[in-house]
């Protein structure tokens, strides 16, 4: 009987009684072939448990009738699902759902014991203990598929925002709400001008490398040609490529302590041993650097997070140390375009281009969402990095590079930088005005440091949270036990008015904390 | 005398006679301040060797006169360069170029011995022996800043191209010259609609995750929701994130042998020990898989490079092995949309979603330049991967995700796939027509395998190169000593006519090789 019967009318069957009126349907209006639609629907029904293992399917004639399609459509669908293992035939008695496994969607229903054994809700894969330090921004470690809604913006830089919304003073983000929309559109129209490539150059689009060479010359006084530049996806990517090229598991990699968490993570994830190197108010302390580091990651223009600038004599001693020990110095220039008082000192790279690699990024100047940065290095080292990049199939998307080249060539980025420089300077001034001598770090960048007594930090952060202010501690930036305590305050994510309000909250809480425990506190 | 003299007229100086008519100039038409321009010019002159260490600079008055600028401009420039260490004053006798180091541009002139010691042309950084296998596409391991020019295209699919140009039959690239330009432009206009973000979600844009869920359902019969999908930059990135999450240095990672070079490299670069697992004409051999692998990378839909499809019974035994040993199976679905005969078998992921991670990419279906792929996995595993991604500041650029979402939502990608499916099928048929029974591998994807006697491969590849055909050997896809020998031929980079011509060359050379050495060969 089953599929081959021709003498039965629609909807008549022999035992066992098969399902009729399956929860499936097809739509002739779709571009997808009917038999493919039917396969989809049947698989869905089998996964969801609407069709259970061992159940008998309708005859092709019956189902064709239900769906008002030709019998061939159903036959093709059944054949495909049979070939795939979803259905099985039992000799002379029809088509049955094979013994299948749990639904794909967790939570769609209790797992049914299938031929693969009882499935459980526990993750099947044993995960090792994490070694990487998270940012703390993922909510409960889970992503829920929805972007965290941005605080409402009233359309003006410096707007007040709505009462009651959170003010985010955590560091690491630039202000992305004030940008030239026409320039942005123009850049992405330019991106479309680049036909899809089939063999991207690991060093990046020549046009962008030229534009970056000009940008580096104008904004940092660094004189290099495109042969010294590789386009990356940002600082993390640049550092990771250098690490993958240079380091072998067990090699020692120096990081600033406290310092940039991502740098530590990148090194650790390449199997390197982290060597934390102390910093002071002037940046990394050179005397006493270990002699066995393969690489040292440093932020000499504006130490992250303490905010100091490495003075010239210390730069020279650092390079002498590197020459003596054979270490590579990785210089992260992450926010060097944002100095509000004096011109920056020359990059370490310019002082010893064979022993230093410079990393730059648009993450803090434009947006972390764009994903463009650069490595500046001697061509021989770049060639080795290019081989690594090619081996790992790592690249920066061509259209993104094209869009950024447009922004650079038209001067849009530099105009943006000038505008942002003024805005960030005002915000920093507001913080200093309210928090006064507590504020540490150069008049630069998008963050300041506020030192606090160790015992006071956690309570202050929690009290601030209750009052709608999100803060980040200095502790998070340490690899080992923190020696300094306080807050790292970023002013890239909040408007001036929000900053004033939030800084006043911090000032009040800090005064209380410094006054110490007392009646009523 | 020097800079402080006021009684001297322009261009008069005292001994030692300083340079006049420095090779520097400024342009009042530029938006850059004159003193900054002058600093740039002087630094350039010092780097290039036009100004040598120890040379005396003109007085501020003299240089101001030469440049027709105010004396303040020159004074500011000298002061800045002095602060930066380029210039030094000698008491009472003027301004001198400090003892500097080699020019930044290699080849700009012989290195001068500076205060940093004699610079040599050797790279200063000792690079370790490379462990990663390169693609072989970088010319002599050096990048020269210019894209390899594409073979001339006559504007039609199947065009003949010009006589004498190279025909590239190496695998790994899709055909990117036949695409819907209006759809491409529309997608990048859509990219501009997404404002620059300041806090990208490590799992990717929700809109794109929804679109991918639909794409996976329609093209692969995989039924998952956005919570099972993470947007990556491609297969390499997806595998690397899984490796960084799951593996610790020394863990054993299984790869197919022969297999995808990038997968081996990604595992090795995370410090894992590579365990090569034999494959046959049906894909990875399951019996005899080691019991101590943390992960196994496999290409069951279309084994790369031998081209077999893992049959259902072997799929079940593979998953039983994974359950028994606790290994994670990473299934790379890299070209599953391109089957030309029968529908694909269900993905391993669908058969055991907690023990399998599915990787997908647009690299082969659209372009490697776009940089979008996906991981499909149980949400708990994706959460762990998201934490890794956040820790490493790894992301897929927002505007790129938006553009791809547009292509998916409008059906542009599926139309492109349908068109390409027909074209690739024709090309494959041409190869089979000409090379006949030598061709191995399923009627799928963008490559075939041609087996040859081991001794014949290298000579054939070189002879083909002389006749304008670029080929890749099977040897390159092995981790250890090759057990099979031959060619992996890709048909994504060459038109039908080019393929016919090149296949005829291969057929001729293969016949000669199989005939063995003889008079006149």
């Amino acid at each position: 009987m089953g599929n081959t019967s021709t003498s039965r009318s629609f909807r008549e069957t022999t035992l066992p009684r098969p399902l009729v009126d399956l929860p499936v349907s097809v739509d002739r209006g779709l571009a997808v072939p009917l038999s493919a639609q039917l396969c989809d629907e049947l698989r869905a029904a089998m996964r969801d448990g609407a069709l259970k293992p061992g159940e008998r399917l309708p005859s092709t004639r019956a189902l064709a009738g239900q769906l008002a399609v030709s019998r061939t459509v159903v036959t093709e669908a059944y054949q495909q699902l049979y070939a795939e293992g979803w259905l099985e035939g039992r000799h002379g008695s029809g088509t049955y759902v094979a013994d299948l496994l749990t639904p794909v969607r967790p939570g769609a229903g209790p797992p049914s014991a299938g031929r693969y054994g009882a499935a459980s809700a526990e993750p099947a894969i044993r995960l090792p203990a994490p070694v990487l330090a998270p940012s703390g921004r993922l909510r409960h470690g889970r992503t829920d598929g929805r972007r965290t809604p941005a605080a409402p913006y009233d359309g003006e830089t410096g707007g007040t925002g709505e009462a009651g919304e959170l003010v985010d003073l955590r560091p690491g983000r630039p202000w992305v709400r004030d940008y030239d929309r026409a320039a942005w559109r123009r850049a992405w129209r330019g991106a479309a001008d680049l036909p899809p490539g089939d063999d991207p150059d690991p060093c990046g689009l020549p046009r962008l490398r030229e534009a970056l060479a000009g940008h580096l010359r104008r904004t940092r006084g660094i004189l290099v040609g495109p042969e010294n530049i590789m386009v990356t996806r940002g600082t993390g990517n640049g550092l990771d490529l250098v690490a993958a090229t240079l380091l072998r598991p067990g090699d020692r990699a120096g990081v600033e302590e406290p310092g940039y968490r991502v740098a530590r993570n990148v090194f650790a994830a390449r199997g390197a041993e982290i060597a934390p190197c102390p910093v002071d108010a002037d940046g990394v302390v050179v005397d006493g650097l270990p002699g066995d580091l393969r690489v040292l990651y440093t932020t000499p223009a504006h130490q992250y997070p303490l905010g100091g600038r490495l003075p010239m004599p210390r730069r020279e001693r650092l390079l002498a140390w590197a020459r003596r020990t054979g270490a590579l110095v990785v210089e992260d220039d992450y926010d060097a375009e944002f100095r509000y008082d004096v011109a920056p000192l020359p990059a370490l790279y310019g002082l010893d281009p064979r022993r230093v690699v410079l990393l730059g990024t648009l993450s803090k100047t434009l947006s972390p969402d764009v994903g463009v940065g650069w490595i500046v290095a001697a061509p021989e080292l770049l060639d080795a990095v290019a081989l690594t990049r090619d081996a790992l199939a790592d690249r920066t998307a061509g259209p993104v590079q094209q869009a950024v080249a447009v922004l650079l060539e038209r001067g849009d980025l530099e105009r943006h930088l000038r505008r942002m420089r003024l805005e960030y300077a005002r915000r920093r001034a507001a913080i200093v005005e309210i928090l006064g001598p507590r504020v540490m770090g150069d008049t630069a960048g998008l963050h300041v440091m506020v030192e606090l007594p160790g015992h006071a930090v956690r309570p202050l952060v929690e009290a601030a949270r209750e009052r709608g202010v999100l803060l980040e501690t200095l502790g998070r930036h340490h690899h080992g036990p923190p020696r300094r305590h306080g807050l790292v305050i970023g002013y890239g994510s909040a408007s001036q008015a929000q900053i004033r309000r939030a800084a006043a909250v911090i000032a009040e809480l800090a005064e209380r904390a410094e006054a110490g425990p007392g009646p009523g506190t």
Side-chain angles (χ1 to χ4, degrees), chain A:
Chain A
M1 307 302 298
N3 294 345
T4 57
S5 161
T6 56
S7 58
R8 299 281 173 179
S9 60
F10 278 5
R11 300 182 177 276
E12 280 179 14
T13 54
T14 52
L15 290 168
R17 196 167 182 77
L19 291 166
V20 289
D21 293 331
L22 282 182
V24 297
S25 65
V26 295
D27 180 351
R28 290 176 183 282
L30 294 182
V32 183
L34 295 175
S35 57
Q37 291 186 43
L38 181 54
C39 282
D40 283 356
E41 296 273 309
L42 287 169
R43 285 190 209 99
M46 287 185 275
R47 288 182 205 267
D48 293 345
L51 274 172
K52 297 184 172 20
E55 281 193 289
R56 186 180 175 200
L57 262 67
S59 67
T60 52
R61 183 188 293 273
L63 189 49
Q66 172 188 332
L67 297 174
V69 300
S70 77
R71 198 173 166 196
T72 312
V73 166
V74 181
T75 305
E76 281 180 8
Y78 279 18
Q79 280 173 351
Q80 177 67 22
L81 294 173
Y82 177 78
E84 292 179 7
W86 291 95
L87 303 180
E88 52 195 21
R90 295 178 199 172
H91 186 69
S93 78
T95 307
Y96 293 79
V97 179
D99 194 14
L100 299 166
L101 116 54
T102 13
V104 173
R105 287 180 195 271
S112 51
R115 67 182 155 189
Y116 296 111
S120 89
E122 300 306 312
I125 301 302
R126 179 182 36 94
L127 295 171
V131 298
L132 306 181
S135 70
R137 292 186 192 281
L138 294 184
R139 294 195 271 166
H140 312 294
R142 296 188 75 85
T143 56
D144 58 7
R146 272 165 284 285
R147 283 185 99 117
T148 308
Y153 179 53
D154 65 7
E156 289 178 306
T157 303
T160 55
E162 290 179 13
E165 97 266 0
L166 289 180
V167 176
D168 191 347
L169 287 197
R170 294 175 300 181
R173 297 178 197 170
W175 184 250
V176 294
R177 301 185 203 179
D178 180 15
Y179 67 100
D180 182 343
R181 281 145 179 82
W184 181 250
R185 296 199 152 281
R186 194 166 47 221
W188 292 105
R189 276 204 305 274
D193 288 338
L194 187 73
D198 66 349
D199 192 23
D201 185 336
C203 278
L205 225 53
R207 176 180 177 180
L208 178 56
R209 293 161 75 193
E210 289 277 356
L212 284 171
H215 178 72
L216 286 164
R217 190 178 60 81
R218 286 186 304 276
T219 61
R220 283 299 268 128
I222 291 168
L223 263 175
V224 291
E227 69 276 11
N228 295 98
I229 299 175
M230 170 183 282
V231 180
T232 64
R233 290 178 287 94
T235 301
N237 176 222
L239 184 64
D240 188 45
L241 290 173
V242 171
T245 303
L246 209 66
L247 301 178
R248 296 291 170 258
D251 280 354
R252 300 234 305 156
V255 295
E256 293 170 333
E257 177 78 342
Y260 186 36
R261 174 187 55 84
V262 170
R264 289 202 297 286
N265 288 336
V266 163
F267 282 147
R270 290 290 173 201
E273 184 190 318
I274 301 300
C277 303
V279 300
D280 63 18
D282 285 331
V284 68
V285 175
V286 178
D287 296 328
L289 278 176
D292 63 345
L293 303 182
R294 283 290 278 145
V295 65
L296 172 70
Y297 168 89
T298 179
T299 51
H302 187 221
Q303 203 281 324
Y304 188 77
L306 297 191
R309 176 167 75 166
L310 204 67
M312 277 301 291
R314 221 189 265 197
R315 290 174 185 238
E316 293 175 28
R317 291 205 309 276
L318 176 61
L319 294 170
W321 164 85
R323 278 190 299 277
R324 219 168 41 242
T325 62
L328 176 73
V329 176
V330 178
E331 171 179 25
D332 186 358
D333 220 30
Y334 66 99
D335 67 356
E337 296 92 336
F338 293 132
R339 283 209 74 92
Y340 314 124
D341 52 2
V342 299
L345 287 178
L348 290 172
Y349 176 79
L351 301 176
D352 200 338
R354 293 191 178 281
R355 192 152 294 283
V356 179
V357 159
L358 178 85
L359 303 181
T361 179
L362 291 182
S363 274
K364 305 293 182 291
T365 45
L366 184 61
S367 157
D369 214 17
V370 170
V372 167
W374 49 90
I375 298 174
V376 179
E380 295 83 0
L381 185 52
L382 274 192
D383 287 341
V385 176
L387 285 173
T388 297
R389 210 173 189 192
D390 169 73
L392 300 177
D394 182 87
R395 51 183 81 100
T396 309
V400 174
Q401 298 190 57
Q402 178 95 340
V404 171
V406 170
L407 291 173
L408 283 169
E409 289 165 2
R410 297 192 59 109
D412 294 323
L413 183 67
E414 279 183 46
R415 274 187 285 279
H416 183 75
L417 289 179
R418 278 201 295 274
R419 216 166 43 238
M420 289 295 105
R421 210 173 278 139
L422 291 172
E423 176 60 19
Y424 292 144
R426 285 186 211 117
R427 293 181 191 184
R428 189 185 187 284
I431 291 176
V432 168
E433 183 192 323
I434 294 168
L435 289 174
R438 287 188 187 84
V439 173
M440 293 182 51
D442 280 14
T443 314
L446 284 79
H447 78 276
V448 293
M449 215 270 286
V450 168
E451 210 158 10
L452 293 171
H455 66 272
V457 177
R458 269 276 122 227
L460 189 147
V461 170
E462 282 158 20
R465 177 70 178 79
E466 280 165 29
R467 293 175 62 171
V469 178
L470 292 177
L471 297 171
E472 191 160 293
T473 70
L474 189 55
R476 189 177 269 295
H477 300 268
H478 283 82
H479 176 69
R483 295 181 175 235
R484 288 175 184 261
H485 305 274
L487 307 171
V488 184
I489 295 175
Y491 40 89
S493 304
S495 66
Q496 269 196 61
Q498 290 176 325
I499 283 170
R500 287 185 172 277
R501 252 187 312 117
V505 168
I506 298 170
E508 182 193 325
L509 294 171
E511 275 165 26
R512 271 195 228 164
E514 284 155 5
T521 52

